[in-house]
PDB file of all heavy atoms in Angstrom:
ATOM      1  N   PRO A  27       4.597   3.707  -9.490  1.00 34.00           N
ATOM      2  CA  PRO A  27       5.886   4.087  -8.898  1.00 34.00           C
ATOM      3  C   PRO A  27       6.318   5.495  -9.269  1.00 34.00           C
ATOM      4  O   PRO A  27       7.263   6.006  -8.695  1.00 34.00           O
ATOM      5  CB  PRO A  27       6.844   3.052  -9.482  1.00 34.00           C
ATOM      6  CG  PRO A  27       6.229   2.676 -10.788  1.00 34.00           C
ATOM      7  CD  PRO A  27       4.766   2.750 -10.572  1.00 34.00           C
ATOM      8  N   TYR A  28       5.649   6.065 -10.209  1.00 31.00           N
ATOM      9  CA  TYR A  28       6.148   7.348 -10.685  1.00 31.00           C
ATOM     10  C   TYR A  28       5.425   8.540 -10.079  1.00 31.00           C
ATOM     11  O   TYR A  28       5.714   9.671 -10.398  1.00 31.00           O
ATOM     12  CB  TYR A  28       6.007   7.429 -12.220  1.00 31.00           C
ATOM     13  CG  TYR A  28       6.669   6.288 -12.905  1.00 31.00           C
ATOM     14  CD1 TYR A  28       5.960   5.483 -13.770  1.00 31.00           C
ATOM     15  CD2 TYR A  28       8.005   5.996 -12.675  1.00 31.00           C
ATOM     16  CE1 TYR A  28       6.562   4.417 -14.395  1.00 31.00           C
ATOM     17  CE2 TYR A  28       8.614   4.931 -13.287  1.00 31.00           C
ATOM     18  CZ  TYR A  28       7.897   4.148 -14.138  1.00 31.00           C
ATOM     19  OH  TYR A  28       8.500   3.097 -14.752  1.00 31.00           O
ATOM     20  N   GLY A  29       4.440   8.359  -9.228  1.00 35.00           N
ATOM     21  CA  GLY A  29       3.709   9.479  -8.666  1.00 35.00           C
ATOM     22  C   GLY A  29       2.758  10.057  -9.695  1.00 35.00           C
ATOM     23  O   GLY A  29       2.344   9.404 -10.627  1.00 35.00           O
ATOM     24  N   GLN A  30       2.424  11.316  -9.530  1.00 36.00           N
ATOM     25  CA  GLN A  30       1.504  11.966 -10.441  1.00 36.00           C
ATOM     26  C   GLN A  30       2.195  12.321 -11.739  1.00 36.00           C
ATOM     27  O   GLN A  30       3.353  12.697 -11.758  1.00 36.00           O
ATOM     28  CB  GLN A  30       0.968  13.257  -9.794  1.00 36.00           C
ATOM     29  CG  GLN A  30       0.158  13.013  -8.541  1.00 36.00           C
ATOM     30  CD  GLN A  30      -1.094  12.232  -8.840  1.00 36.00           C
ATOM     31  OE1 GLN A  30      -1.753  12.486  -9.852  1.00 36.00           O
ATOM     32  NE2 GLN A  30      -1.419  11.286  -7.986  1.00 36.00           N
ATOM     33  N   PRO A  31       1.459  12.251 -12.862  1.00 36.00           N
ATOM     34  CA  PRO A  31       2.060  12.661 -14.137  1.00 36.00           C
ATOM     35  C   PRO A  31       2.213  14.169 -14.171  1.00 36.00           C
ATOM     36  O   PRO A  31       1.631  14.891 -13.374  1.00 36.00           O
ATOM     37  CB  PRO A  31       1.036  12.183 -15.168  1.00 36.00           C
ATOM     38  CG  PRO A  31      -0.260  12.121 -14.418  1.00 36.00           C
ATOM     39  CD  PRO A  31       0.096  11.729 -13.026  1.00 36.00           C
ATOM     40  N   TYR A  32       3.023  14.574 -15.132  1.00 32.00           N
ATOM     41  CA  TYR A  32       3.197  16.013 -15.275  1.00 32.00           C
ATOM     42  C   TYR A  32       1.848  16.672 -15.495  1.00 32.00           C
ATOM     43  O   TYR A  32       1.039  16.238 -16.291  1.00 32.00           O
ATOM     44  CB  TYR A  32       4.094  16.328 -16.476  1.00 32.00           C
ATOM     45  CG  TYR A  32       5.481  15.776 -16.354  1.00 32.00           C
ATOM     46  CD1 TYR A  32       6.149  15.325 -17.484  1.00 32.00           C
ATOM     47  CD2 TYR A  32       6.106  15.699 -15.122  1.00 32.00           C
ATOM     48  CE1 TYR A  32       7.421  14.817 -17.386  1.00 32.00           C
ATOM     49  CE2 TYR A  32       7.392  15.194 -15.023  1.00 32.00           C
ATOM     50  CZ  TYR A  32       8.049  14.749 -16.149  1.00 32.00           C
ATOM     51  OH  TYR A  32       9.309  14.244 -16.075  1.00 32.00           O
ATOM     52  N   GLY A  33       1.625  17.785 -14.830  1.00 37.00           N
ATOM     53  CA  GLY A  33       0.367  18.499 -14.970  1.00 37.00           C
ATOM     54  C   GLY A  33       0.581  19.973 -14.712  1.00 37.00           C
ATOM     55  O   GLY A  33       1.696  20.450 -14.472  1.00 37.00           O
ATOM     56  N   GLN A  34      -0.509  20.717 -14.752  1.00 38.00           N
ATOM     57  CA  GLN A  34      -0.403  22.165 -14.585  1.00 38.00           C
ATOM     58  C   GLN A  34       0.159  22.477 -13.224  1.00 38.00           C
ATOM     59  O   GLN A  34      -0.253  21.920 -12.214  1.00 38.00           O
ATOM     60  CB  GLN A  34      -1.792  22.789 -14.733  1.00 38.00           C
ATOM     61  CG  GLN A  34      -1.735  24.297 -14.737  1.00 38.00           C
ATOM     62  CD  GLN A  34      -3.106  24.895 -15.012  1.00 38.00           C
ATOM     63  OE1 GLN A  34      -4.081  24.162 -15.137  1.00 38.00           O
ATOM     64  NE2 GLN A  34      -3.156  26.217 -15.107  1.00 38.00           N
ATOM     65  N   GLY A  35       1.132  23.396 -13.201  1.00 38.00           N
ATOM     66  CA  GLY A  35       1.746  23.810 -11.945  1.00 38.00           C
ATOM     67  C   GLY A  35       2.850  22.909 -11.490  1.00 38.00           C
ATOM     68  O   GLY A  35       3.390  23.103 -10.413  1.00 38.00           O
ATOM     69  N   GLN A  36       3.245  21.877 -12.312  1.00 39.00           N
ATOM     70  CA  GLN A  36       4.344  21.006 -11.916  1.00 39.00           C
ATOM     71  C   GLN A  36       5.493  21.200 -12.869  1.00 39.00           C
ATOM     72  O   GLN A  36       5.321  21.530 -14.033  1.00 39.00           O
ATOM     73  CB  GLN A  36       3.895  19.546 -11.937  1.00 39.00           C
ATOM     74  CG  GLN A  36       2.868  19.237 -10.857  1.00 39.00           C
ATOM     75  CD  GLN A  36       2.494  17.775 -10.887  1.00 39.00           C
ATOM     76  OE1 GLN A  36       2.282  17.230 -11.949  1.00 39.00           O
ATOM     77  NE2 GLN A  36       2.440  17.174  -9.718  1.00 39.00           N
ATOM     78  N   SER A  37       6.681  20.932 -12.365  1.00 35.00           N
ATOM     79  CA  SER A  37       7.876  21.101 -13.169  1.00 35.00           C
ATOM     80  C   SER A  37       8.616  19.803 -13.282  1.00 35.00           C
ATOM     81  O   SER A  37       8.754  19.086 -12.302  1.00 35.00           O
ATOM     82  CB  SER A  37       8.810  22.149 -12.525  1.00 35.00           C
ATOM     83  OG  SER A  37      10.073  22.097 -13.132  1.00 35.00           O
ATOM     84  N   PRO A  38       9.072  19.469 -14.481  1.00 34.00           N
ATOM     85  CA  PRO A  38       9.846  18.244 -14.625  1.00 34.00           C
ATOM     86  C   PRO A  38      11.207  18.337 -13.984  1.00 34.00           C
ATOM     87  O   PRO A  38      11.906  17.361 -13.878  1.00 34.00           O
ATOM     88  CB  PRO A  38       9.970  18.082 -16.150  1.00 34.00           C
ATOM     89  CG  PRO A  38       9.878  19.465 -16.680  1.00 34.00           C
ATOM     90  CD  PRO A  38       8.920  20.170 -15.765  1.00 34.00           C
ATOM     91  N   TYR A  39      11.581  19.551 -13.529  1.00 31.00           N
ATOM     92  CA  TYR A  39      12.907  19.705 -12.920  1.00 31.00           C
ATOM     93  C   TYR A  39      12.895  19.423 -11.435  1.00 31.00           C
ATOM     94  O   TYR A  39      13.937  19.395 -10.802  1.00 31.00           O
ATOM     95  CB  TYR A  39      13.420  21.138 -13.139  1.00 31.00           C
ATOM     96  CG  TYR A  39      13.463  21.532 -14.589  1.00 31.00           C
ATOM     97  CD1 TYR A  39      12.720  22.608 -15.051  1.00 31.00           C
ATOM     98  CD2 TYR A  39      14.255  20.826 -15.474  1.00 31.00           C
ATOM     99  CE1 TYR A  39      12.761  22.963 -16.388  1.00 31.00           C
ATOM    100  CE2 TYR A  39      14.306  21.187 -16.805  1.00 31.00           C
ATOM    101  CZ  TYR A  39      13.548  22.253 -17.260  1.00 31.00           C
ATOM    102  OH  TYR A  39      13.592  22.626 -18.575  1.00 31.00           O
ATOM    103  N   GLY A  40      11.734  19.297 -10.825  1.00 36.00           N
ATOM    104  CA  GLY A  40      11.702  19.091  -9.397  1.00 36.00           C
ATOM    105  C   GLY A  40      11.392  20.387  -8.673  1.00 36.00           C
ATOM    106  O   GLY A  40      11.252  21.451  -9.265  1.00 36.00           O
ATOM    107  N   GLU A  41      11.338  20.333  -7.345  1.00 34.00           N
ATOM    108  CA  GLU A  41      10.875  21.460  -6.569  1.00 34.00           C
ATOM    109  C   GLU A  41      11.959  22.467  -6.253  1.00 34.00           C
ATOM    110  O   GLU A  41      11.681  23.542  -5.727  1.00 34.00           O
ATOM    111  CB  GLU A  41      10.269  20.958  -5.243  1.00 34.00           C
ATOM    112  CG  GLU A  41       9.017  20.139  -5.459  1.00 34.00           C
ATOM    113  CD  GLU A  41       8.450  19.662  -4.143  1.00 34.00           C
ATOM    114  OE1 GLU A  41       9.078  19.893  -3.106  1.00 34.00           O
ATOM    115  OE2 GLU A  41       7.373  19.052  -4.175  1.00 34.00           O
ATOM    116  N   GLN A  42      13.238  22.185  -6.541  1.00 36.00           N
ATOM    117  CA  GLN A  42      14.277  23.112  -6.134  1.00 36.00           C
ATOM    118  C   GLN A  42      14.185  24.422  -6.897  1.00 36.00           C
ATOM    119  O   GLN A  42      14.618  25.449  -6.423  1.00 36.00           O
ATOM    120  CB  GLN A  42      15.666  22.487  -6.318  1.00 36.00           C
ATOM    121  CG  GLN A  42      16.100  22.399  -7.771  1.00 36.00           C
ATOM    122  CD  GLN A  42      17.483  21.817  -7.898  1.00 36.00           C
ATOM    123  OE1 GLN A  42      17.621  20.643  -8.118  1.00 36.00           O
ATOM    124  NE2 GLN A  42      18.503  22.631  -7.720  1.00 36.00           N
ATOM    125  N   TYR A  43      13.579  24.362  -8.113  1.00 32.00           N
ATOM    126  CA  TYR A  43      13.417  25.599  -8.857  1.00 32.00           C
ATOM    127  C   TYR A  43      11.977  26.088  -8.760  1.00 32.00           C
ATOM    128  O   TYR A  43      11.729  27.262  -8.651  1.00 32.00           O
ATOM    129  CB  TYR A  43      13.794  25.403 -10.331  1.00 32.00           C
ATOM    130  CG  TYR A  43      15.236  25.034 -10.505  1.00 32.00           C
ATOM    131  CD1 TYR A  43      15.571  23.902 -11.232  1.00 32.00           C
ATOM    132  CD2 TYR A  43      16.252  25.800  -9.939  1.00 32.00           C
ATOM    133  CE1 TYR A  43      16.905  23.555 -11.394  1.00 32.00           C
ATOM    134  CE2 TYR A  43      17.575  25.457 -10.089  1.00 32.00           C
ATOM    135  CZ  TYR A  43      17.908  24.333 -10.803  1.00 32.00           C
ATOM    136  OH  TYR A  43      19.210  23.987 -10.961  1.00 32.00           O
ATOM    137  N   GLY A  44      11.015  25.237  -8.849  1.00 36.00           N
ATOM    138  CA  GLY A  44       9.619  25.612  -8.711  1.00 36.00           C
ATOM    139  C   GLY A  44       9.115  26.430  -9.874  1.00 36.00           C
ATOM    140  O   GLY A  44       9.850  27.109 -10.545  1.00 36.00           O
ATOM    141  N   GLY A  45       7.794  26.380 -10.142  1.00 37.00           N
ATOM    142  CA  GLY A  45       7.159  27.219 -11.146  1.00 37.00           C
ATOM    143  C   GLY A  45       7.521  26.811 -12.552  1.00 37.00           C
ATOM    144  O   GLY A  45       8.099  25.772 -12.822  1.00 37.00           O
ATOM    145  N   HIS A  46       7.154  27.620 -13.514  1.00 38.00           N
ATOM    146  CA  HIS A  46       7.408  27.424 -14.924  1.00 38.00           C
ATOM    147  C   HIS A  46       8.281  28.524 -15.440  1.00 38.00           C
ATOM    148  O   HIS A  46       8.389  29.595 -14.832  1.00 38.00           O
ATOM    149  CB  HIS A  46       6.078  27.424 -15.705  1.00 38.00           C
ATOM    150  CG  HIS A  46       5.224  26.224 -15.365  1.00 38.00           C
ATOM    151  ND1 HIS A  46       5.341  25.039 -16.002  1.00 38.00           N
ATOM    152  CD2 HIS A  46       4.247  26.075 -14.421  1.00 38.00           C
ATOM    153  CE1 HIS A  46       4.471  24.179 -15.502  1.00 38.00           C
ATOM    154  NE2 HIS A  46       3.794  24.792 -14.544  1.00 38.00           N
ATOM    155  N   PRO A  47       8.911  28.338 -16.594  1.00 38.00           N
ATOM    156  CA  PRO A  47       9.698  29.426 -17.165  1.00 38.00           C
ATOM    157  C   PRO A  47       8.849  30.683 -17.316  1.00 38.00           C
ATOM    158  O   PRO A  47       7.698  30.621 -17.738  1.00 38.00           O
ATOM    159  CB  PRO A  47      10.122  28.885 -18.542  1.00 38.00           C
ATOM    160  CG  PRO A  47      10.104  27.392 -18.359  1.00 38.00           C
ATOM    161  CD  PRO A  47       8.984  27.139 -17.421  1.00 38.00           C
ATOM    162  N   GLY A  48       9.475  31.817 -16.933  1.00 39.00           N
ATOM    163  CA  GLY A  48       8.775  33.079 -16.999  1.00 39.00           C
ATOM    164  C   GLY A  48       7.995  33.396 -15.755  1.00 39.00           C
ATOM    165  O   GLY A  48       7.338  34.429 -15.681  1.00 39.00           O
ATOM    166  N   GLN A  49       8.018  32.527 -14.765  1.00 41.00           N
ATOM    167  CA  GLN A  49       7.341  32.747 -13.501  1.00 41.00           C
ATOM    168  C   GLN A  49       8.377  32.803 -12.394  1.00 41.00           C
ATOM    169  O   GLN A  49       9.508  32.358 -12.558  1.00 41.00           O
ATOM    170  CB  GLN A  49       6.365  31.596 -13.218  1.00 41.00           C
ATOM    171  CG  GLN A  49       5.192  31.535 -14.196  1.00 41.00           C
ATOM    172  CD  GLN A  49       4.263  30.416 -13.841  1.00 41.00           C
ATOM    173  OE1 GLN A  49       4.610  29.571 -13.026  1.00 41.00           O
ATOM    174  NE2 GLN A  49       3.096  30.431 -14.448  1.00 41.00           N
ATOM    175  N   PRO A  50       7.963  33.418 -11.235  1.00 42.00           N
ATOM    176  CA  PRO A  50       8.915  33.455 -10.113  1.00 42.00           C
ATOM    177  C   PRO A  50       9.414  32.043  -9.808  1.00 42.00           C
ATOM    178  O   PRO A  50       8.659  31.076  -9.842  1.00 42.00           O
ATOM    179  CB  PRO A  50       8.092  34.027  -8.970  1.00 42.00           C
ATOM    180  CG  PRO A  50       7.009  34.813  -9.632  1.00 42.00           C
ATOM    181  CD  PRO A  50       6.701  34.092 -10.911  1.00 42.00           C
TER     182      PRO A  50
END
Side-chain angles (χ1 to χ4, degrees):
Y28 305 124
Q30 297 296 319
Y32 298 145
Q34 187 175 3
Q36 292 182 316
S37 167
Y39 304 120
E41 294 180 355
Q42 74 178 96
Y43 297 127
H46 293 273
Q49 294 182 348

